[in-house]
């Protein structure tokens, strides 16, 4: 019904008329393009879905030359779930190693509780402190050893099974123990920290755990094979066997 707007006839009225025509034509074009655009949006979203990559994981720093240290190529095995499993295992073993190193340092400095570990068996904490770490384990009565192993098994079960929706292989955060409300950060050290401070401390935990794994492995090696760790050669505090079975030594 409206003729074309010719060159030389552009006025305020003609511009208003042109804008009105374009607005009237928008619903048809938008409906026509809605299906393809939605489909393309779905493809883009699926293609850009966040994936765990070893290059973006925390823990890279000057200790590793600001590069990913993976000479064996573990990060190339499997998919995202496998990589998440490796990171969870690294964090968990780092935590265990840190606890082991602290316990070892307390032990060799003869820092111990007073009194009896087991009045029934006549075992005192002082007696345990006077022998090597694995000899001390063998002096613990069987029921005490079972209690320790049962506690470890309970924590392991809880960390793997109490939060199935947030499991690290299903998109959860590797190493997350916050669902263990009575175990995670009982003193409340992290309650007043900002997100940036928490992230910094998580990286510190990861790096300290790596160092502790190297440290406790060195202690075990130096105890089992004298001279295998030059810095720990002839260390007087490294006594007794270097390894122990759950209910005996070898």
């Amino acid at each position: 019904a409206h003729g074309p707007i010719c060159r030389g006839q552009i006025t305020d009225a003609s511009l208003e008329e042109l804008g009105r025509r374009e607005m009237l034509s928008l619903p048809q074009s938008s409906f026509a393009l809605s299906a393809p655009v939605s489909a393309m949006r779905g493809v883009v979203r699926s293609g850009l879905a966040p994936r765990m990559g070893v290059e973006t994981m925390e823990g890279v720093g000057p200790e590793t030359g600001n590069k990913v240290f993976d000479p064996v190529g573990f990060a190339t095995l499997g998919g995202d779930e496998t990589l998440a499993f490796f990171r969870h295992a690294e964090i968990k073993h780092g935590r265990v190693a840190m606890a082991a190193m602290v316990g070892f340092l307390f032990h060799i400095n003869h820092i111990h509780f007073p009194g009896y570990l087991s009045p029934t068996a006549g075992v005192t904490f002082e007696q345990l402190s006077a022998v090597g770490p694995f000899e001390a384990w063998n002096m613990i009565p069987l029921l005490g050893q079972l209690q320790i192993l049962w506690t470890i098994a309970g924590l392991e079960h809880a960390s793997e099974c109490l939060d199935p929706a947030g499991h690290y292989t299903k998109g959860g955060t590797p190493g997350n123990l916050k669902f263990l409300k009575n175990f995670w950060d009982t003193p409340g050290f992290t309650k007043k920290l900002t997100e940036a401070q928490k992230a910094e401390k998580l990286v510190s935990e990861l790096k300290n755990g790596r160092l502790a794994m190297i440290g406790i492995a060195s202690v075990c090696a130096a105890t089992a094979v004298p001279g295998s760790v030059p810095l720990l050669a002839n260390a007087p505090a490294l006594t007794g066997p270097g390894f122990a079975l759950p209910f005996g030594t070898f």
Side-chain angles (χ1 to χ4, degrees):
H2 301 277
I5 298 176
C6 299
R7 184 180 300 175
Q9 297 178 337
I10 299 178
T11 62
D12 291 343
S14 63
L15 287 175
E16 183 179 353
E17 176 67 14
L18 179 60
R20 190 177 67 83
R21 293 185 193 179
E22 294 299 326
M23 290 297 294
L24 289 174
S25 64
L26 278 177
Q28 297 177 357
S29 60
S30 62
F31 289 143
L33 293 175
S34 60
V37 169
S38 299
M40 290 176 63
R41 185 176 296 141
V43 172
V44 171
R45 284 181 178 175
S46 62
L48 297 180
R51 295 172 61 84
M52 176 176 288
V54 67
E55 296 83 4
T56 60
M57 296 175 74
E58 301 87 353
V60 176
E63 304 88 352
T64 58
N66 294 314
K67 297 180 181 179
V68 176
F69 181 76
D70 185 21
V72 182
F74 289 118
T76 62
L77 301 177
D80 291 351
E81 293 81 4
T82 305
L83 189 59
F85 169 79
F86 285 150
R87 172 44 60 93
H88 184 79
E90 179 185 27
I91 295 173
K92 180 164 59 176
H93 285 89
R95 290 168 176 168
V96 173
M98 286 188 284
M101 276 304 300
V102 171
F104 174 76
L105 293 175
F106 268 76
H107 183 83
I108 63 175
N109 285 282
H110 306 290
I111 302 173
H112 56 80
F113 291 108
Y116 283 86
L117 169 74
S118 173
T120 304
V123 179
T124 66
F125 287 105
E126 184 177 4
Q127 290 174 330
L128 298 179
S129 180
V131 299
F134 291 106
E135 289 176 318
W137 168 259
N138 291 327
M139 290 177 62
I140 299 175
L142 177 60
L143 290 179
Q145 293 177 332
L146 290 176
Q147 289 176 24
I148 295 172
L149 295 176
W150 185 254
T151 300
I152 295 172
L155 291 173
E156 182 72 10
H157 176 269
S159 67
E160 295 289 339
C161 302
L162 287 188
D163 187 24
H167 196 267
Y168 53 86
T169 60
K170 297 181 180 179
T173 303
N176 180 24
L177 291 177
K178 292 182 179 178
F179 57 90
L180 295 174
K181 297 180 180 179
N182 295 327
F183 180 77
W184 165 259
D185 192 18
T186 303
F189 293 123
T190 62
K191 290 182 179 180
K192 296 182 180 180
L193 297 179
T194 64
E195 292 302 320
Q197 290 173 325
K198 289 180 182 179
E200 181 181 359
K201 291 190 178 297
L202 287 174
V203 174
S204 298
E205 179 194 33
L206 181 63
K207 293 183 177 182
N208 288 330
R210 292 170 176 171
L211 183 60
M213 286 188 281
I214 296 174
I216 198 64
S218 300
V219 169
C220 292
T223 306
V225 184
S228 59
V229 182
L231 291 177
L232 297 178
N234 301 318
L238 301 180
T239 60
F243 295 90
L245 292 171
F247 309 110
T249 59
F250 67 91

